Amino acid sequence: MSNNINLSKGPGVYIPPPLLYVLIFIAAIFIQKQIPIADEIFNTTLIKITGGVFLIIALFFLVRSLRQFFITKNTVILIKPATSLQTTGIYAITCNPMYVGLAIVYLGITCFIGNWWNIILFPILLLIVQEYVIKREEKYLEAEFGKQYLEYKNKVRRWL
């Protein structure tokens, strides 16, 4: 592990992850205006119901993860140090329930607005979140919590 991690500054992620989701979502809307792709499938009842189900599932991940962070008085701000390692509750299912929840919100809203570009850009969004945010968080958490984090990381998947 690199010794150049400033533990007092947390993972050093300066762009809030929710903003990354929003920026890619808006970029997809802009691209759709420039290079339209037919969206008839999004006008079906099944897709709208799917979008609603996605949003309910997303709420499960987001509410549970945020609640746990607030109960443990940890920070969700990625330029501040963590006060504890989250390993129980929703964090026993995925190491990153907030990012999973945001990804599912993204897909749920996509079902309602009907834009193929959101689907096309989705893997790019996940790659950006993984490489820019999650890997920095992992490096920081390993430096901060050492063996405890490595054991957790070996038991619980990064996404799902």
Side-chain angles (χ1 to χ4, degrees), residues 9 12-13 15 21 29 36 41-42 47 52 58 74 93 100 106 108 110 118 130-131 140 143 152 154:
K9 297 207 179 208
V13 175
I15 301 171
Y21 288 83
I29 292 169
I41 193 169
F42 290 102
I47 295 297
N74 214 337
I93 298 170
V100 170
Y106 179 102
T110 295
N118 286 102
Q130 182 166 295
E131 296 301 315
Y140 165 75
Y152 167 69
N154 287 331

Side-chain angles (χ1 to χ4, degrees), residues 57 60-62 64-65 68 86-98 100-101 104 152-160:
I57 293 168
F60 170 79
F61 280 95
L62 293 171
R64 300 272 315 256
S65 58
Q68 189 165 334
Q86 306 299 313
T87 60
T88 61
I90 193 78
Y91 288 88
I93 298 170
T94 172
C95 292
N96 298 288
M98 288 184 217
V100 170
I104 299 170
Y152 167 69
K153 184 178 165 185
N154 287 331
K155 285 191 292 187
V156 181
R157 296 176 68 133
R158 182 182 279 158
W159 289 97
L160 280 178

